[in-house]
Amino acid sequence: MLETIRSRPVQASHPFLVPRTHGRRARQSEVQLSFGSICVMAPRWEKRCGTEPLPLWAIRVWEEDTPADEEPLEWLLLTSVPTTTIAQAWEHVQWYACRWTVEDSHQCLKTGCRIEERQVQSVARLIRLLGLLSPLAVRLLQLRNLARCDPQRPAQEVVEHDVLALVATHTDRIPGEMSTATFWKAVAQLGGYLGRRGDGPAGWKTLWKGWLRVQAWLEGVHLAFHLLL
């Protein structure tokens, strides 16, 4: 299968900015694209898959001109979604590029929201639980990405007023002067993140604990407001 996919000629190319990671510097590159249909045989030992070949589309994205000290990029993607045009192929590649964000969302649900520890016993209850926790996971992911990608943006543009006021008051800051980065770090520190020079970015456990603490404060403020009426 790999030989078949890799033998297909280039059908398009596109500039690509290779992001910086541990052990790899950021660089500007160009990736090539090829795609086409392929049939994959069902595993002989897995009866649930049936015995008929599975028709799929294979997409390959790779880098030809790679610096000598860097590992070439290559994605080999199999999809059941019809891929018959170059535009569709690039679109499906972009879907896959969102994989790391999806993985982070799942990590927030598992590690932060601890969804696997809820011990629900039916699909219906799990769906209701996901309906409650998924928006929270997405919100935390949005705030974290803003803190990373746009750290100097004023927090008041993306954070609810009450939440920002509570975090600012606790950290002796002025709400209007807090950026997304300082707000996010403050939330993480409320969950136990030390933020020392050698520490890495805050993990989902500390972020979740900090956010939960802020939400408890917010509920207390709202209850106190109603008691005063």
Side-chain angles (χ1 to χ4, degrees):
M1 182 180 67
L2 294 179
E3 291 178 358
T4 300
I5 296 174
R6 287 172 173 159
S7 66
R8 289 173 174 164
V10 176
Q11 293 164 273
S13 60
H14 196 276
F16 180 70
L17 178 62
V18 182
R20 181 181 65 86
T21 61
H22 295 292
R24 184 180 71 189
R25 65 180 185 275
R27 69 175 189 274
Q28 186 64 46
S29 182
E30 185 175 74
V31 292
Q32 316 301 320
L33 171 75
S34 68
F35 63 93
S37 60
I38 193 171
C39 280
V40 178
M41 299 300 296
R44 295 180 181 178
W45 58 86
E46 184 53 79
K47 296 182 179 179
R48 290 176 298 177
C49 295
T51 58
E52 296 297 321
L54 185 64
L56 299 173
W57 280 263
I59 305 173
R60 182 186 178 216
V61 177
W62 75 99
E63 184 182 35
E64 289 188 342
D65 300 323
T66 308
D69 58 341
E70 296 285 353
E71 182 179 356
L73 301 177
E74 184 181 34
W75 285 356
L76 299 173
L77 312 178
L78 296 178
T79 176
S80 59
V81 181
T83 308
T84 58
T85 66
I86 292 176
Q88 288 176 344
W90 283 125
E91 180 185 36
H92 302 164
V93 169
Q94 289 301 316
W95 291 353
Y96 183 75
C98 297
R99 171 187 170 184
W100 307 117
T101 303
V102 175
E103 293 283 356
D104 260 342
S105 177
H106 290 167
Q107 185 69 14
C108 183
L109 282 171
K110 291 179 181 179
T111 305
C113 303
R114 297 188 301 233
I115 192 169
E116 294 176 331
E117 300 177 21
R118 304 304 175 182
Q119 299 181 355
V120 292
Q121 300 296 320
S122 69
V123 173
R125 291 180 178 179
L126 179 60
I127 291 174
R128 287 196 291 271
L129 181 60
L130 281 170
L132 177 66
L133 295 180
S134 292
L136 174 57
V138 170
R139 181 58 177 153
L140 290 176
L141 188 60
Q142 287 174 335
L143 291 174
R144 195 200 66 173
N145 287 348
L146 283 169
R148 290 182 176 181
C149 301
D150 196 3
Q152 300 307 317
R153 184 175 180 177
Q156 61 188 2
E157 294 183 2
V158 294
V159 180
E160 294 80 1
H161 173 75
D162 291 348
V163 173
L164 179 59
L166 283 170
V167 174
T169 301
H170 183 79
T171 57
D172 296 325
R173 298 175 184 269
I174 299 175
E177 296 179 358
M178 292 190 74
S179 65
T180 57
T182 55
F183 170 82
W184 195 235
K185 184 178 180 180
V187 171
Q189 288 175 326
L190 290 172
Y193 178 62
L194 298 179
R196 298 167 296 192
R197 184 185 297 269
D199 291 340
W204 283 120
K205 285 185 179 180
T206 53
L207 291 170
W208 165 259
K209 290 179 181 178
W211 189 257
L212 191 62
R213 190 173 180 183
V214 172
Q215 295 305 310
W217 291 345
L218 185 62
E219 184 177 3
V221 169
H222 290 166
L223 287 172
F225 174 78
H226 287 294
L227 288 174
L228 293 174
L229 295 180

